[in-house]
Structure formats: C-alpha cells, structure tokens
Amino acid sequence: MTYQEVLERVSMVEDVSVYEFSSEARIDLTVEDFDGFDEDWCEVFRDYDVEAVDEMVEWLEEHAVRVEDDFYTVYYFDGFEVHLGYGSYDI
C-alpha cells in the first residue's frame, strides 16, 4: 500500500480532515465530531457519518502493517504512518 493510495482512500470520507506531512512520511486524520461551544460554553458535538468513518478504519486496519491503539490510533505502513484522532480530543 502506497502513501498516495492511502491518501486517496481516506480523502473520500467527508467528515475527516486530512493533513499531510510528506516530509515526515505521515498523514494525520481528524474525525470532525466537535462543533464548538454554545452560549453557555458547553461543548457542542456534531453528527458525522459513523458508517463511513468505521469503513475507513476497517480499511486502514486491513492494510496496515501494524496498528497501535492508544488515545490516538497509529497505523503503520511501509515507510509512513497514519495517525487518527477526533476533533473532540483537542477540547
């Protein structure tokens, strides 16, 4: 699996922001599940296409050489990494 093939696949999911760090051989993915704060400063979460995100995760798991699942999930491929997190992690 090449960097470009993975990039093309993950870019198909609308609710996922993709950040490339080609100089570091790394792709960062953020599932956009957070929409900001309301007038009382309570967190506002947004709906996202869970099925599409789950399919992407399954695809990454199937094609990765190795997966480390901690707070963020890291998918290791030959020569590069994919880091997956959620927007709500950064609150």
Side-chain angles (χ1 to χ4, degrees):
M1 191 64 40
T2 68
Y3 183 94
Q4 191 60 37
E5 289 171 325
V6 172
L7 187 59
E8 287 174 14
R9 172 60 180 93
V10 298
S11 295
M12 295 170 47
V13 183
E14 289 184 23
D15 295 317
V16 174
S17 295
V18 179
Y19 305 94
E20 284 187 78
F21 300 94
S22 53
S23 62
E24 299 176 27
R26 176 176 165 170
I27 301 170
D28 279 4
L29 307 176
T30 303
V31 177
E32 300 299 345
D33 66 339
F34 179 67
D35 206 24
F37 298 94
D38 66 13
E39 61 277 350
D40 296 321
W41 288 100
C42 294
E43 295 139 349
V44 177
F45 294 93
R46 67 183 288 277
D47 292 330
Y48 64 92
D49 189 343
V50 175
E51 185 175 317
V53 171
D54 286 350
E55 288 175 5
M56 179 194 70
V57 167
E58 288 176 18
W59 187 88
L60 288 167
E61 289 174 351
E62 288 175 16
H63 291 89
V65 174
R66 185 178 92 225
V67 178
E68 285 184 11
D69 194 15
D70 196 9
F71 190 63
Y72 289 87
T73 304
V74 181
Y75 301 91
Y76 294 93
F77 293 85
D78 288 330
F80 66 98
E81 302 172 1
V82 176
H83 294 238
L84 174 66
Y86 288 75
S88 58
Y89 288 1
D90 295 330
I91 299 174

